[in-house]
Amino acid sequence: MSIDLLIAGGTVVDPKSGRCGPADVLIRGGRVEAVDVGITAPGVRELDASGLVVAPGFIDLHVHLREPGEEWKETIASGARAAAAGGFCAVCCMANTHPPIDDAARVAFVRERARAADGARVFPVGAVSKGLAGEELAELGGMFAAGAVAASDDGRPVMNAELMRCALEYAKMLGRPIISHAEDLNLAAGGAMNLGEYSTRLGLRGMPAAAEEAMVARDIMLAAMTGGHVHIAHASTAGTVAMVRDAKRRGIRVTAEATPHHLTLTDRLVWETSYDTDTKMNPPLRTPADVAALREGLRDGTIDCIATDHAPHHRDDKEKEYAYAAFGISGLETAVPLVFTELVEPGEIDLLRAIAALTVGPAAVVGLELGGIVVGGVADITLIDPELELEVRPQDFVSLGKNTPFSGRRLRGWPVMTIVNGRVAFDRAAGSTGLDRAGGAGSGRLAGAAGR
Amino acid sequence: MSLAYKDLLGLEGMPAQDIQLVLDTTDSMREILGRKMKKVPTLRGRTVVTLFYEASTRTRTSFELAAKYLSADTVSITAATSSVQKGETLKDTARTLEVMGADAIIMRHPASGAPHFLARCVSGSVLNGGDGTHEHPSQGLLDMYTMRRHKGRLAGLKVGIVGDIYHSRVARSNMYGLVTMGAEVRVAGPATLLPPGLDRLGVRVCTRLEDAVAGVDVVMALRLQLERQQRGLFPTTREYAELFGINRQRMALAAPDALLMHPGPMNRGVEVTSDVADGPQSVIEEQVTNGVAVRMALLYLLLGGGDAE
């Protein structure tokens, strides 16, 4: 249920309109009615946003919601609520469920579940190949018509170059991107972490940077050949950044994302934590030079967006020998404060650019008309408190996945409210999810300001 | 005298004085092994479990004998006979052994880091009996003990390690321990079996075998696992023997009184030819004898032998 609301006294940071300064935002009927200084709206609830950053709703292009098939790890509902709690108004969920999202009916199933969830918007990504088997194209036309925004076999690469070429050509016809999980399975086979000094120290099979880069190179060539749009998921190496930068210069339709963990951690952490399986992800944590290159890519626009690759797992999948543990981290609820604390506060990335990488950047990749605070546009808004400092407590995650290497870290810049389509989907002051409580007589930030 | 921590997971980061303590204690244990009556009551009433997820002859037998000579009760579990076959996780196995009262668990496991995980699950001591391609600390210690016994020192000693460095836990433990003790370590092997970043461990990486053994005090040949060849990491064992096998001519490049070592079991004619393996410079059999003494020292120092009556 959408509410009418005046967000007053905050600092609007909207890369889409270029507005960056004090302004009020008036929301009515689920839409943005006005953005200006000193708006008065008699009878409308007022939210005191002084000291807060008022940003367009964040968009995460890369999450795994595990439903159908692994509902003990995450469900569409828990994932959508976790997204809202992390400041995201929209997420794109990958197709590698059991069974995979490889036809229109399954796309419709995800959309149906998401509608009932009352969290962030969920846009499915359909599979490139039937059954994610990497052999025959799935019905991309049917899936896009049913609401899929892109196609990807993510979790696995499309190893067959001819299939990837066909996918790019076909998706181009339909005006949609193919998201590439760039990993040469032969080069990476059996690897548990980045190949380098620390894999040598720990005696773990290493995944070389070249396993990613060889596939990025291939996919850029195929994008050049077909004119299709390839989006590189979870870019993790300096080589990938260099190739994407060069390809963009040459006018090839390539975009790329990087995760908060690849932007902030290195493979040394696996060694420092003595095989803590929460440091195991694919692609693996890389070297300081790779982190620096990703940050430079984010600054200069080579990296279009920050995406979490939210990969929730049950404790049982992580409490194992390192080589046998599952890949991935639960990323939705730490992404925003990580970006703020590790990138914005130290001056690595300016706030406007960071917010662009969470809004207009991802929206452009998959062609969503979201990601701005535009008069007449839908009211998807994320409020951040730059001063709020909290410890990462996985046990308090809304996500069912508690697997994070950031446990115990003190971070600043947490989302305090997430408004989706004019509805309060998350209100930190009201508890994990505001929902109806905030809309009614709750105890949150909104409730306290009500009636003024 | 004891070690101030509960587990022995690896030699990386183990302080020089602790390695020294283990080697010195090994001297006393060797003395006990020389007696007709080998049993001492030091660990009476303590329970030592060997938990082996991989085949082993010498490490397991050696640990078991070491525990028995110190009067500990020993139980041995192999993956084939345990509930591991029924799908039990390592964590559950660990908790089961813990509540049954195991004071120490000696584990061999195919996954690197498995003992580190085990050590977080139990309050008793964990001794790494070899984890994947990571470390084999008791082997590293017995190798260093053998070197020190013959050469009188480790500092400044020149050691050439030859073979499959990539997959060798013996190599890693020796590299970590020897570098800590001030030895000069060189490694050589087929380029596909040399992992990246070895120089960061403080060793010199040679692509030619001759450079690794020239003038050294110790030549250590590593066991070559056949499955590496099947995975295409090198062409044939014949070519390996030709390029990296230790034979009489190559041994002659080392110092005249150089030792030849091998952690066993040997592929004769591949890593090392029989004439040098059985020759006067070989201390391969003595390595096994010293293995029992080193493991007695480790159990004594970790299980706090000092507070036994």
Side-chain angles (χ1 to χ4, degrees):
Chain A
M1 182 189 71
S2 74
I3 53 166
D4 296 344
L5 181 66
L6 178 63
I7 302 168
T11 302
V12 171
V13 180
D14 178 24
K16 196 167 193 171
S17 64
R19 185 187 279 273
C20 193
D24 304 336
V25 178
L26 178 63
I27 298 170
R28 228 194 275 266
R31 303 236 151 217
V32 174
E33 190 171 283
V35 186
D36 211 339
V37 184
I39 297 176
T40 51
V44 174
R45 284 169 178 239
E46 190 177 318
L47 169 69
D48 177 13
S50 53
L52 303 185
V53 170
V54 181
F58 294 160
I59 300 164
D60 185 352
L61 282 191
H62 196 140
V63 303
H64 296 269
L65 299 185
R66 307 300 188 203
E67 185 183 354
E70 293 179 303
E71 290 83 357
W72 61 91
K73 294 186 175 188
E74 192 80 289
T75 63
I76 291 165
S78 67
R81 286 196 299 268
F88 291 97
C89 290
V91 296
C92 299
C93 64
M94 291 297 159
N96 65 336
T97 49
H98 302 282
I101 308 303
D102 65 353
D103 66 24
R106 288 173 185 164
V107 170
F109 165 82
V110 174
R111 302 248 301 162
E112 190 50 45
R113 282 296 163 101
R115 240 189 307 277
D118 261 4
R121 302 168 191 268
V122 177
F123 296 98
V125 173
V128 166
S129 65
K130 286 179 192 157
L132 300 175
E135 287 161 10
E136 304 166 70
L137 274 188
E139 287 182 349
L140 301 187
M143 290 191 289
F144 294 154
V149 294
S152 180
D153 276 0
D154 184 78
R156 298 176 53 80
V158 175
M159 279 298 285
N160 182 331
E162 168 64 7
L163 181 68
M164 190 61 162
R165 178 205 142 187
C166 290
L168 282 164
E169 261 172 355
Y170 199 82
K172 179 195 173 193
M173 169 181 84
L174 300 166
R176 291 277 161 200
I178 298 293
I179 300 175
S180 166
H181 169 115
E183 177 188 8
D184 183 303
L185 290 177
N186 296 310
L187 277 170
M193 68 176 294
N194 181 49
L195 179 74
E197 177 193 346
Y198 294 103
S199 66
T200 293
R201 284 186 182 276
L202 293 165
L204 289 170
R205 281 282 286 279
M207 306 158 100
E212 173 173 315
E213 292 159 0
M215 291 296 264
V216 169
R218 182 201 76 173
D219 289 343
I220 287 173
M221 287 174 197
L222 293 174
M225 170 189 170
T226 59
H229 173 188
V230 67
H231 175 73
I232 306 298
H234 41 57
S236 74
T237 78
T240 293
V241 175
M243 284 188 284
V244 171
R245 181 179 291 127
D246 177 63
K248 283 185 167 184
R249 256 183 220 141
R250 286 156 52 207
I252 298 168
R253 293 187 68 199
V254 55
T255 51
E257 71 193 28
T259 72
H261 48 280
H262 288 111
L263 285 161
T264 56
L265 301 177
T266 67
D267 59 351
R268 185 184 164 88
L269 189 66
V270 187
W271 179 73
E272 278 174 357
T273 61
S274 193
Y275 301 92
D276 181 347
T277 55
D278 282 335
T279 64
K280 184 177 176 183
M281 56 272 283
N282 185 14
L285 297 175
R286 305 284 189 185
T287 70
D290 294 308
V291 171
L294 288 173
R295 290 176 175 193
E296 181 55 34
L298 186 58
R299 271 192 291 274
D300 72 12
T302 301
I303 301 292
D304 299 83
C305 51
I306 296 168
T308 63
D309 195 5
H310 176 71
H313 285 292
H314 192 271
R315 281 323 299 172
D316 290 349
D317 301 304
K318 284 290 193 179
E319 287 188 340
K320 311 183 153 189
E321 298 87 332
Y322 202 87
Y324 309 157
F327 287 104
I329 81 164
S330 181
L332 279 170
E333 290 166 81
T334 50
V336 171
L338 276 170
V339 168
F340 196 87
T341 309
E342 301 287 333
L343 301 178
V344 175
E345 277 198 333
E348 286 277 305
I349 310 287
D350 72 52
L351 182 63
L352 192 64
R353 176 70 199 124
I355 288 179
L358 289 161
T359 54
V360 281
V365 171
V366 290
L368 291 175
E369 290 199 15
L370 297 172
I373 303 180
V374 182
V375 174
V378 294
D380 279 16
I381 290 172
T382 300
L383 294 163
I384 302 167
D385 184 348
E387 301 296 323
L388 181 62
E389 182 175 314
L390 295 170
E391 185 187 312
V392 176
R393 290 167 48 88
Q395 63 272 33
D396 294 344
F397 282 0
V398 175
S399 169
L400 302 183
K402 315 297 182 191
N403 46 307
T404 173
F406 299 106
S407 179
R409 281 232 201 170
R410 293 199 73 82
L411 299 174
R412 290 151 59 85
W414 293 79
V416 290
M417 186 178 285
T418 309
I419 297 168
V420 180
N421 211 17
R423 174 177 55 80
V424 177
F426 169 71
D427 179 358
R428 182 169 299 280
S432 54
T433 52
L435 298 178
D436 296 333
R437 267 171 296 163
S443 60
R445 181 181 284 273
L446 183 58
R452 277 201 302 202
Chain B
M1 268 187 319
S2 64
L3 293 169
Y5 28 83
K6 84 176 176 83
D7 310 303
L8 177 73
L9 303 177
L11 300 189
E12 184 182 15
M14 187 168 180
Q17 72 264 26
D18 289 353
I19 293 176
Q20 196 82 42
L21 175 63
V22 173
L23 301 185
D24 292 346
T25 309
T26 303
D27 273 330
S28 326
M29 296 302 167
R30 242 188 94 97
E31 185 270 315
I32 293 171
L33 286 177
R35 297 178 196 165
K36 199 167 182 182
M37 169 62 198
K38 296 188 183 69
K39 217 169 171 97
V40 293
T42 317
L43 294 186
R44 201 164 59 196
R46 314 300 294 274
T47 304
V48 173
V49 176
T50 59
L51 175 60
F52 274 53
Y53 289 85
E54 273 186 348
S56 158
T57 310
R58 65 202 73 209
T59 302
R60 179 200 196 106
T61 311
S62 164
F63 263 118
E64 272 181 42
L65 283 174
K68 286 179 200 294
Y69 291 150
L70 295 172
S71 301
D73 294 312
T74 62
V75 181
S76 99
I77 302 167
T78 55
T81 60
S82 73
S83 50
V84 171
Q85 292 226 310
K86 301 172 195 159
E88 187 172 67
T89 64
L90 179 56
K91 189 184 179 191
D92 287 338
T93 302
R95 296 302 309 157
T96 303
L97 295 176
E98 168 97 341
V99 298
M100 285 183 179
D103 295 299
I105 300 172
I106 295 147
M107 183 171 75
R108 169 165 292 188
H109 197 287
S112 299
H116 304 66
F117 174 64
L118 180 72
R120 289 193 276 260
C121 298
V122 298
S123 59
S125 290
V126 172
L127 286 85
N128 181 1
D131 64 322
T133 55
H134 179 226
E135 282 220 48
H136 191 353
S138 63
Q139 178 76 40
L141 289 164
L142 77 88
D143 289 339
M144 286 193 282
Y145 179 79
T146 306
M147 292 176 208
R148 193 180 80 162
R149 206 165 161 272
H150 284 268
K151 300 294 173 190
R153 69 195 163 98
L154 290 173
L157 208 64
K158 293 190 180 75
V159 181
I161 305 177
V162 179
D164 181 359
I165 310 293
Y166 203 124
H167 301 94
S168 176
R169 49 198 179 205
V170 176
R172 277 178 186 71
S173 286
N174 268 289
M175 289 189 286
Y176 289 132
L178 286 166
V179 169
T180 300
M181 299 311 285
E184 181 197 318
V185 182
R186 306 175 199 173
V187 300
T192 46
L193 297 177
L194 295 175
L198 278 174
D199 51 320
R200 306 266 304 164
L201 275 59
V203 305
R204 202 176 112 201
V205 183
C206 311
T207 38
R208 274 163 29 96
L209 169 94
E210 287 71 17
D211 298 332
V213 298
V216 298
D217 303 297
V218 178
V219 175
M220 182 181 294
L222 299 172
R223 173 177 167 71
L224 193 65
Q225 281 129 339
L226 213 59
E227 62 266 26
R228 316 283 174 230
Q229 187 252 319
Q230 283 154 357
R231 276 189 39 226
L233 291 174
F234 61 95
T236 58
T237 49
R238 198 186 69 84
E239 182 159 311
Y240 178 86
E242 211 165 285
L243 292 172
F244 293 98
I246 303 297
N247 54 27
R248 201 179 300 209
Q249 294 100 297
R250 284 170 177 160
M251 201 60 207
L253 297 171
D257 59 347
L259 304 177
L260 173 71
M261 302 179 73
H262 190 294
M266 267 184 289
N267 295 305
R268 287 175 179 266
V270 181
E271 302 112 35
V272 58
T273 55
S274 284
D275 55 345
V276 290
D278 303 328
Q281 289 171 281
S282 170
V283 290
I284 294 171
E285 273 186 25
E286 192 196 320
Q287 286 175 269
V288 180
T289 316
N290 293 339
V292 180
V294 161
R295 286 162 182 136
M296 286 171 77
L298 286 172
L299 287 170
Y300 170 77
L301 293 170
L302 283 172
L303 294 190
D307 55 33
E309 81 261 51

